[in-house]
Amino acid sequence: MNKRHTLYAIAYALVFILVLLARLMQWSLLSEIATPFITVTLLLFLSTVTHLKGRFHQRLFTGLVLALTGNTLILMQNHHPSYFLYGLIALLICTVFYIIAFYLDFRSAQELDKRGAKIAIFSTAILSIAFYLFLRPHLGALRLPVIIYVLLMAMMIMMAAFRNQRVNPISFKLVLAGVLFFVLSGAILACSYFVNPFKYADICIISTYMIAQYLIILGGIRRELLRKLSD
């Protein structure tokens, strides 16, 4: 990891600490100021290191912009309750851009690691169905939106897994770990919102989310496509 990576890692660690401190101490003003810097820091990191050359990094960047929009809207939910829903929609669209970024790597050599792909599809399908069935009795009229959400999370896991043998191992591992933390954050949010709110749920959600975004972007920055394409 070069000096620039280290500087951004330190900056992100400071943001991480500030956000958690603000949430723990319930300092709403500090939370509103610090939370957007989760994605602002990563946007600067991604753009300055990669110069957004190629569609892969451009799609990650667009996903981060949508994540920033979603985070900001969720912070503004006290001003209007509908902002929370709009924020979640923006975050879901963020995952779509991550999925299509990962698809670029899968497309570079679709014939590779078919056994790994089958394992990823089967295990993700089982876990997704089980999680939806767990949530289903608590969803009421929101069953369809939650089905869409679960499907997108499953697609993101599978596309991250499909990058195996198509990119360098460090990028593959970082992105896959980040995606799993992203899904974990969403799962905690869903359980807290629909099933049973619990103490420090907000801390668990935001901390896993921050870890997820950092790992995904770091993995994207360190990406080396093993079979070169135009992007």
Side-chain angles (χ1 to χ4, degrees):
M1 187 177 292
N2 62 34
K3 186 180 292 187
R4 186 182 295 180
H5 289 201
T6 302
L7 289 174
Y8 275 109
I10 293 170
Y12 196 75
L14 291 174
V15 172
F16 194 107
I17 293 167
L18 280 176
V19 170
L20 290 187
L21 181 63
R23 301 294 177 97
L24 280 169
M25 303 302 294
Q26 298 183 344
W27 294 336
S28 58
L29 180 59
L30 179 59
S31 179
E32 290 178 7
I33 293 171
T35 300
F37 280 93
I38 297 169
T39 39
V40 168
T41 306
L42 293 176
L43 283 166
L44 290 171
F45 187 22
L46 180 63
S47 58
T48 56
V49 174
T50 68
H51 305 292
L52 303 183
K53 293 179 179 178
R55 287 176 290 170
F56 181 87
H57 295 122
Q58 290 166 5
R59 289 173 182 180
L60 287 187
F61 186 87
T62 304
L64 276 176
V65 171
L66 286 160
L68 175 60
T69 304
N71 292 338
T72 304
L73 287 170
I74 289 171
L75 282 172
M76 295 171 61
Q77 64 180 297
N78 292 333
H79 302 287
H80 200 291
S82 62
Y83 287 164
F84 180 78
L85 177 60
Y86 298 149
L88 291 181
I89 291 171
L91 287 171
L92 281 179
I93 301 173
C94 161
T95 67
V96 172
F97 276 89
Y98 285 172
I99 289 168
I100 59 178
F102 304 153
Y103 174 74
L104 287 173
D105 292 343
F106 167 67
R107 197 189 66 182
S108 68
Q110 297 183 37
E111 73 281 2
L112 292 178
D113 196 26
K114 291 184 178 180
R115 181 175 178 274
K118 289 177 182 178
I119 293 171
I121 293 169
F122 179 77
S123 57
T124 303
I126 294 296
L127 290 172
S128 299
I129 292 169
F131 184 64
Y132 175 72
L133 292 177
F134 169 72
L135 291 178
R136 191 174 185 274
H138 308 277
L139 299 179
L142 295 176
R143 287 178 181 174
L144 180 59
V146 172
I147 287 175
I148 294 171
Y149 170 80
V150 171
L151 286 173
L152 282 174
M153 294 300 106
M155 282 294 296
M156 187 162 64
I157 293 173
M158 287 187 289
M159 281 300 161
F162 291 171
R163 298 174 73 242
N164 188 35
Q165 299 183 11
R166 297 166 177 89
V167 298
N168 53 319
I170 186 64
S171 176
F172 167 72
K173 291 175 183 178
L174 286 169
V175 167
L176 182 58
V179 165
L180 292 175
F181 271 104
F182 198 107
V183 172
L184 176 60
S185 179
I188 296 170
L189 173 62
C191 291
S192 176
Y193 188 81
F194 292 113
V195 182
N196 184 31
F198 60 93
K199 191 175 182 180
Y200 300 126
D202 181 52
I203 300 300
C204 294
I205 293 164
I206 196 66
S207 58
T208 50
Y209 173 78
M210 286 190 287
I211 293 169
Q213 290 286 26
Y214 181 76
L215 291 176
I216 290 170
I217 298 307
L218 182 60
I221 287 170
R222 301 188 67 177
R223 165 190 183 253
E224 295 176 11
L225 195 61
L226 300 183
R227 295 197 179 186
K228 297 294 184 182
L229 293 177
S230 59
D231 49 7

